[in-house]
Each structure stands twice: as C-alpha cells, then as structure tokens.
Amino acid sequence: KIPDDQRAKEIQVFSDKDTIFESSKVLGMVWDANEDVLKYKSKFSSVDEWKEYLKIEQWTKRTILKTTASTYDPLGYLSALTVQARNVIQKLWLETLDWDTPIPKIHEEKWVQVLQNLVNVGSISIPRWLGCRPNIQNELHIFCDSSEAVYCATAYCRVNSVGGPIVNLVCAKARVAPLKSETVARLELIACVLGVRLSRAVTQVFKDISKENIHFWTDSRDALCWIYAPSAKCKVYVQNRVGEIQRCTDHPQWHHVPTEKNPADIPTRPVTTDELIERRRVHFNILK
C-alpha cells in the first residue's frame, strides 16, 4: 500500500551515505525489492571463467563437485537444473575415478552443457508474494512425476481471489533415481512419497490451509492403484511407501493428471534454462 515514489530503492545504514546493496541476498537468492521478485545470481558468467577461477584445464570429480555446491537453492526453484549436475556426478561415481583424474570426454560434454545452464540462471525470476490474503481460500497442489533417472515433486499455491485465481510455485524437490534398477512405476510411487513429505514441510508454514484444500497429482495410474488399495495386500517395498502415503493423506486428495499438463515432468528430463522459463510459463497458465 506504500506509494511507488516513497518506496526505498536501496538500503543505507543510519547516517552513512554509501549504499550497502540495492538488492538483498537471502539463502542463495537475490530479492529485488523494486520488482518484488526473487532472482538468482551466478558466481561467473561463463564456463571459461569457472575454469580460470579453479585454475584447471580439464574437469575432475573434485572440481565438478565444488562447482555444483556453489549453487545454493533451498526452495528448489532450480531443481530442474541442479539435478542434472547430480546426475553427472552419479555417473562419474560409476567410473571409479580418482578425485583428481580427468573425466572421460563423454561426461565432460554433458557436464559443460549442465554448467552452461547454471551460469544462465540470472534470467530466472520468481514472484516473492504468493498472493495469500486473510479470509481468502488458499489451495496447495502437489505434483509428482518420475523418469528412469530423476523423480520429482513440486508444490503450487492457488489463491482463489476476486480478480481470478493466482498460482505460484512454493517449492520443489528433485532427486536422482537410485542406482539399483527400479521400474518406472515404483519410481513414480517414490515421487508420490516425496510429494507427501514436501506437503508436510509446506503446511508447517501455511498452517491455514485445510486438509481438504490440499491436492496431490500424478500421471501414473499404477501409483494411484497402489495408493487406493489396502497397503497390507501389497508387496513389502510398495507396502512401506503406500503405508506412509495413506497415513498422511486421504484417497479423495489424490488425482490423475496428463503428463503434458504435469509441471513435475520438467525436471525428469534434461532441460535448458530458456526451456525451463518457457515451460513454467505454460504450466502456470494451465494451473489457472
């Protein structure tokens, strides 16, 4: 409600004349107070600058791990990009390389593509305000999906305001699939478990969202059949995961969504920074 001309564009300490910073950096993200959006800032602007900073000519497991750890993303907004880096590290582990041994060419090409996406994260911006207001119905929608390499869950807040629904991404989590071979159906079920755990973390903050306004979505009919069936009739692997889902959620909360309309499908396959921005825009329109 503060007029635009009276809003501070920079921050100063007491009577000091020198500006400390124009945007606040919090938990790896940059808050642009002027536009009220969250942004990311890469440490370097190119792959060559990273190599110059690390003083290397060839990539090794040590330098890749160090570079990956420099991207701090607690809310998972960049999980579609960071999980690709972890996927490369997982494959390098199978090569049984020493920490300072140059990685094979095939892995280096993949890693350079991943790092190029990470240095372009400055083009990503996310609204800070989710649109939540008192006395207005808020809904939480959790989407789950998996591929053979990655499983993921994303949480969206949908506010049914007078001017129309407001949809924003709350947080996301993407993980590399286990090395032990699992069926895609089982990985889809693991993604549903991840979605349930993600919803519990979100509802600790958004305590005013009632259980009937929390919805879970998956494009796996196998996972839905397991969730709707008595867990005691399933095999042990499925039983343990279905049991956790059924203890925390009710059957009416689970729904089916087509793959092309599932935003959790984005991190399950390689995606560039530009594609991530465009596909998120498409899914926001679908959710509205």
Side-chain angles (χ1 to χ4, degrees):
K1 296 182 180 180
I2 301 176
D4 292 343
D5 58 342
Q6 296 183 21
R7 297 179 186 176
K9 302 298 189 297
E10 56 193 24
I11 298 176
Q12 296 179 349
V13 175
F14 302 111
S15 59
D16 293 348
K17 295 182 179 180
D18 296 331
T19 301
I20 297 180
F21 47 78
E22 296 181 354
S23 55
S24 306
K25 189 172 182 180
V26 181
L27 294 178
M29 295 174 293
V30 176
W31 174 44
D32 188 331
N34 188 31
E35 299 181 13
D36 198 17
V37 295
L38 298 174
K39 296 181 178 180
Y40 287 87
K41 186 176 182 181
S42 176
K43 191 171 184 179
F44 299 104
S45 59
S46 68
V47 176
D48 291 336
E49 288 185 13
W50 263 112
K51 295 180 78 171
E52 183 179 351
Y53 168 74
L54 296 171
K55 299 179 181 179
I56 60 171
E57 302 218 352
Q58 291 182 296
W59 291 98
T60 64
K61 282 201 317 186
R62 187 187 303 276
T63 53
I64 288 177
L65 190 62
K66 182 177 181 179
T67 306
T68 303
S70 67
T71 303
Y72 186 54
D73 180 35
L75 294 179
Y77 293 147
L78 303 179
S79 56
L81 304 177
T82 57
V83 74
Q84 297 179 40
R86 296 197 295 272
N87 199 357
V88 172
I89 294 174
Q90 184 187 55
K91 292 178 179 178
L92 289 177
W93 228 258
L94 296 176
E95 298 287 346
T96 62
L97 299 172
D98 292 333
W99 281 100
D100 298 311
T101 301
I103 65 175
K105 190 71 174 177
I106 185 172
H107 295 306
E108 183 178 5
E109 292 175 355
K110 174 64 177 175
W111 164 246
V112 170
Q113 294 176 1
V114 171
L115 183 56
Q116 187 61 53
N117 289 328
L118 292 177
V119 299
N120 292 334
V121 295
S123 58
I124 296 176
S125 62
I126 299 159
R128 178 201 59 82
W129 184 51
L130 297 178
C132 298
R133 293 190 183 98
N135 304 320
I136 293 182
Q137 186 184 50
N138 302 321
E139 299 176 359
L140 184 64
H141 293 263
I142 311 292
F143 293 85
C144 313
D145 197 15
S146 176
S147 65
E148 294 181 353
V150 175
Y151 61 97
C152 172
T154 61
Y156 287 84
C157 180
R158 188 176 190 271
V159 181
N160 299 314
S161 63
V162 177
I166 301 174
V167 178
N168 281 301
L169 178 65
V170 179
C171 60
K173 177 74 72 173
R175 291 182 177 175
V176 178
L179 291 174
K180 182 180 178 181
S181 179
E182 296 288 357
T183 63
V184 175
R186 284 189 170 187
L187 290 173
E188 294 274 11
L189 183 62
I190 297 175
C192 292
V193 175
L194 183 64
V196 170
R197 294 174 180 175
L198 189 67
S199 71
R200 281 170 21 203
V202 173
T203 51
Q204 287 182 358
V205 178
F206 298 92
K207 297 181 180 180
D208 58 334
I209 301 180
S210 59
K211 193 172 184 178
E212 57 269 18
N213 287 330
I214 301 176
H215 303 274
F216 297 86
W217 303 83
T218 176
D219 56 13
S220 172
R221 297 189 183 276
D222 291 332
L224 286 175
C225 288
W226 281 328
I227 292 171
Y228 274 83
S231 60
K233 293 185 178 181
C234 303
K235 293 184 178 180
V236 176
Y237 183 95
V238 176
Q239 178 182 352
N240 292 337
R241 287 150 183 81
V242 170
E244 180 176 348
I245 293 173
Q246 293 178 345
R247 284 193 299 270
C248 302
T249 64
D250 299 328
H251 291 163
Q253 292 180 264
W254 286 91
H255 317 280
H256 179 266
V257 59
T259 301
E260 63 273 11
K261 295 183 179 181
N262 188 355
D265 178 67
I266 298 176
T268 61
R269 62 198 75 230
V271 62
T272 65
T273 306
D274 293 337
E275 291 173 344
L276 176 63
I277 296 172
E278 180 57 31
R279 293 184 66 182
R280 275 183 172 170
R281 186 180 296 114
V282 170
H283 284 296
F284 276 130
N285 293 332
I286 291 175
L287 289 171
K288 289 182 179 180

